[in-house]
Amino acid sequence: MNNYHNKKIYVAGHTGMVGSAVMRALQKSGYKNLIAVSSGQLDLRRQSDVEDFFEKQKPDVVIVAAAKVGGILANNTYRAEFIYDNLMIEANLIHASYLHKVKKLIFLGSSCIYPKLAPQPLKEEYLLSGYLEYTNEPYAIAKIAGIKLCENYFRQYECNFISAMPTNLYGPNDNFDLQTSHVLPALIRKFHEAKTNNNPSVTIWGTGKPLREFLFVDDLAEAILFMMEKVEASDLYNLGITHLNIGSGKDISISDLAALISDIIGYNGKIEYDTTKPDGTPRKLMDVSRINSLGWKYKTELEEGIKKTYDWFLNNYIQKV
Ligand code: GFB
């Protein structure tokens, strides 16, 4: 168990859904020495600016929650940005952390790193065992590179840098833009607006057949603190694994998710499917037995998490018409 309570912790990407959840979890756990800087003040794609920041701030722990993220359409549209921005952000933060002797770094990826048709549930060992899903290949390649950066900065420089691979996340401070968001927040907004405007139907993308696993973002934040305090690089790499899957271990079809969200919001109209939009990976359920056996398990069931996210949407995001 590492006690970083008097150490300086830098949360890169602190204003995003994951970064803000990590800040909440750190503050709730009594961590006081936190540093954060907005993307307007520091462009993490600029290597010299990142190294100047580290020279000045000298963080002891770095949590890499900064990334260019989005749903299936954003990934498939801004393909160059998803690979370039994420490669630059992670390479600069990981290299600067090495140069400035950061004691612990946690890198965040996503379950899309796994091959499109790998056996389910996905074990950590399945990484790089097959072709990736086309729609999010740029993002996945960048995140796989981040995992490999952490692993090899451990092997060559003994850096205590580890990677967490969360499943599809949702929760407060999510992105509700209908073009760039992930499915769960998009459906919350679609069903809310359809109910408010008495629309006869809601159109969702694809066939509704794909299955997705979901994890409430505050549960992920607790997993990140758990890994910061209790998982060392040597624990992982000497076991022959390069990262830990973080998820609920349960998945649901997009159609059933839509029906659940519609029911929670109280919408009574029809659900229609726009099959011109991509389905993406048919399924990406992760095996989370490793992190569970180490001592972390998800807490928030999907229905409860959707209700909490809808409440946040109503109190913080709702478009005043
Ligand atoms: O959440 P999502 O955008 O990303 O889409 P992925 C999940 C599934 O929901 C797809 C369907 O089959 C979508 O077609 N879907 C239905 C919708 N209606 C909607 C809608 O209104 N909006 C959205 N966005 N989807 C992402 C990767 O894949 O998963 C990222 O592209 C990242 O890189 C993320 O890994 C976690 O789960 O398919």
Side-chain angles (χ1 to χ4, degrees), residues 121-152:
L122 299 158
K123 291 183 182 305
E124 285 91 351
E125 296 85 337
Y126 295 170
L127 181 63
L128 292 176
S129 63
Y131 293 109
L132 298 167
E133 155 62 28
Y134 176 77
T135 55
N136 54 44
E137 185 189 74
Y139 181 74
I141 292 281
K143 289 301 181 179
I144 292 167
I147 292 170
K148 290 299 175 185
L149 276 166
C150 291
E151 177 196 358
N152 291 292

Side-chain angles (χ1 to χ4, degrees), residues 139-278:
Y139 181 74
I141 292 281
K143 289 301 181 179
I144 292 167
I147 292 170
K148 290 299 175 185
L149 276 166
C150 291
E151 177 196 358
N152 291 292
Y153 273 61
F154 167 76
R155 296 202 189 286
Q156 183 171 346
Y157 305 126
E158 297 180 355
C159 295
N160 193 11
F161 296 174
I162 57 178
S163 297
M165 287 306 118
T167 186
N168 288 43
L169 300 168
Y170 70 100
N173 214 8
D174 206 339
N175 167 15
F176 290 88
D177 176 87
L178 293 182
Q179 292 308 308
T180 61
S181 63
H182 293 99
V183 61
L184 197 148
L187 296 189
I188 285 179
R189 180 167 170 185
K190 284 183 174 180
F191 284 113
H192 172 82
E193 290 179 349
K195 179 185 171 188
T196 308
N197 305 328
N198 283 315
N199 294 344
S201 68
V202 164
T203 300
I204 73 174
W205 297 351
T207 64
K209 292 192 171 64
L211 292 153
R212 288 293 182 272
E213 178 185 4
F214 293 99
L215 181 69
F216 190 61
V217 73
D218 288 292
D219 291 2
L220 169 70
E222 286 187 15
I224 290 168
L225 263 64
F226 176 87
M227 289 179 70
M228 179 182 81
E229 293 168 348
K230 299 192 178 116
V231 180
E232 304 309 319
S234 51
D235 297 335
L236 291 187
Y237 302 123
N238 294 341
L239 274 176
I241 55 167
T242 56
H243 57 282
L244 286 175
N245 291 337
I246 315 281
S248 61
K250 296 192 281 192
D251 59 5
I252 182 173
S253 75
I254 298 304
S255 292
D256 288 348
L257 176 72
L260 176 60
I261 293 173
S262 173
D263 186 42
I264 288 169
I265 290 178
Y267 175 67
N268 300 313
K270 283 174 51 197
I271 294 174
E272 294 179 346
Y273 295 87
D274 172 4
T275 51
T276 66
K277 296 286 190 317

Side-chain angles (χ1 to χ4, degrees), residues 68-82 133-139 179-180 205 276-280:
K68 180 168 179 67
V69 297
I72 189 166
L73 203 58
N75 270 264
N76 201 25
T77 305
Y78 308 109
R79 297 176 69 86
E81 292 172 57
F82 269 85
E133 155 62 28
Y134 176 77
T135 55
N136 54 44
E137 185 189 74
Y139 181 74
Q179 292 308 308
T180 61
W205 297 351
T276 66
K277 296 286 190 317
D279 269 344

Side-chain angles (χ1 to χ4, degrees), residues 21-95:
V22 171
M23 292 295 276
R24 285 196 298 273
L26 286 166
Q27 286 151 352
K28 201 171 89 181
S29 301
Y31 286 92
K32 301 223 183 316
N33 196 354
L34 307 178
I35 44 172
V37 61
S38 74
S39 50
Q41 294 166 291
L42 173 62
D43 182 342
L44 295 172
R45 296 167 303 180
R46 319 294 299 170
Q47 184 177 40
S48 56
D49 294 355
V50 172
E51 289 179 6
D52 292 349
F53 175 77
F54 273 66
E55 180 58 38
K56 204 162 69 186
Q57 293 292 343
K58 301 192 182 347
D60 299 300
V61 176
V62 174
I63 295 171
V64 184
K68 180 168 179 67
V69 297
I72 189 166
L73 203 58
N75 270 264
N76 201 25
T77 305
Y78 308 109
R79 297 176 69 86
E81 292 172 57
F82 269 85
I83 188 164
Y84 176 77
D85 286 7
N86 288 305
L87 279 175
M88 299 310 287
I89 290 167
E90 68 198 24
N92 291 339
L93 287 169
I94 291 165
H95 190 68

